[in-house]
Amino acid sequence: KSKDLLEDRIKELMVEYSILEKNVVYDKVGAGLFLQKHFPKAYGFSANGKVIGKDPYEHLKTQCHHRLAEYINDGSIKIHDAGRHKEDIVTECMQLIIVPQELIGGKIKMITKKEVKINIGHSPDYIDSLSMRMVFTFKNKYSSRVFV
C-alpha cells in the first residue's frame, strides 16, 4: 500500500510541476526498483553505474556529484521552495568532497555515503536526489540553469 501511495504522490508532483515521465529520475537500486514498472520512461539511476562519456570518474554517482558541485560553485542552480530544508541541503552539499586523484589511480572518487552519514548524522537524501538530477545534464536535456 505504501508503494501505491508513493506512486500516486510522484504522479501528483509530475502534474503539479508539469514534469514529463522521461524527465523523472529514480534510484533503481533497493526500494526504488519497483518504480521501473510504473514509470518505464523515467531514468533508472544506478549509483555504481557506468559514467556517461569518457570522464575519469569512479562511477555515475561520483560523476553526477561532481557536476552538481560545479553547478553550485558557478551559481547555475536554483532550488525552488528550499524553505525549511535549506540548512540540510547546504550541509549535505558541503560534503561534495573529492578525494585527490593520485590516491586512486587516476579515477575521480568522492567520499562514501557511509562517511557522509557519519559527518552529518543522517542519510544525505537531498544531495542524492540533486545529484541524480544531474544525469540529465550529461544528456543535454536541459540548459545550464537548473530548476529543481
Side-chain angles (χ1 to χ4, degrees), residues 78-90 126 148:
K78 180 175 181 166
I79 302 172
H80 288 284
D81 301 321
R84 62 187 167 93
H85 305 289
K86 184 176 181 178
E87 187 175 322
D88 286 332
I89 292 168
V90 170
Y126 295 110
V148 179

Side-chain angles (χ1 to χ4, degrees), residues 53-127:
K54 297 183 189 264
D55 291 331
Y57 295 100
E58 179 182 36
H59 43 59
L60 183 59
K61 181 178 178 179
T62 300
Q63 184 179 31
C64 288
H65 272 349
H66 193 261
R67 177 62 58 94
L68 177 60
E70 288 174 353
Y71 274 44
I72 290 168
N73 288 333
D74 71 13
S76 62
I77 187 167
K78 180 175 181 166
I79 302 172
H80 288 284
D81 301 321
R84 62 187 167 93
H85 305 289
K86 184 176 181 178
E87 187 175 322
D88 286 332
I89 292 168
V90 170
T91 298
E92 291 181 23
C93 286
M94 296 302 292
Q95 296 299 306
L96 293 174
I97 301 168
I98 299 173
V99 177
Q101 283 183 275
E102 63 271 10
L103 297 178
I104 50 166
K107 293 277 186 182
I108 297 171
K109 183 177 177 178
M110 306 293 287
I111 64 173
T112 66
K113 186 170 186 171
K114 183 178 179 180
E115 291 171 294
V116 172
K117 285 180 182 180
I118 291 168
N119 291 345
I120 65 175
H122 58 85
S123 180
D125 296 330
Y126 295 110
I127 195 89

Side-chain angles (χ1 to χ4, degrees), residues 4 21 28 30 88 100 103 105 141:
D4 292 337
E21 184 178 324
K28 75 176 188 178
D88 286 332
L103 297 178
K141 291 178 84 169

Side-chain angles (χ1 to χ4, degrees), residues 38-49:
H38 299 286
F39 300 96
K41 295 178 185 172
Y43 187 91
F45 188 92
S46 178
N48 292 322

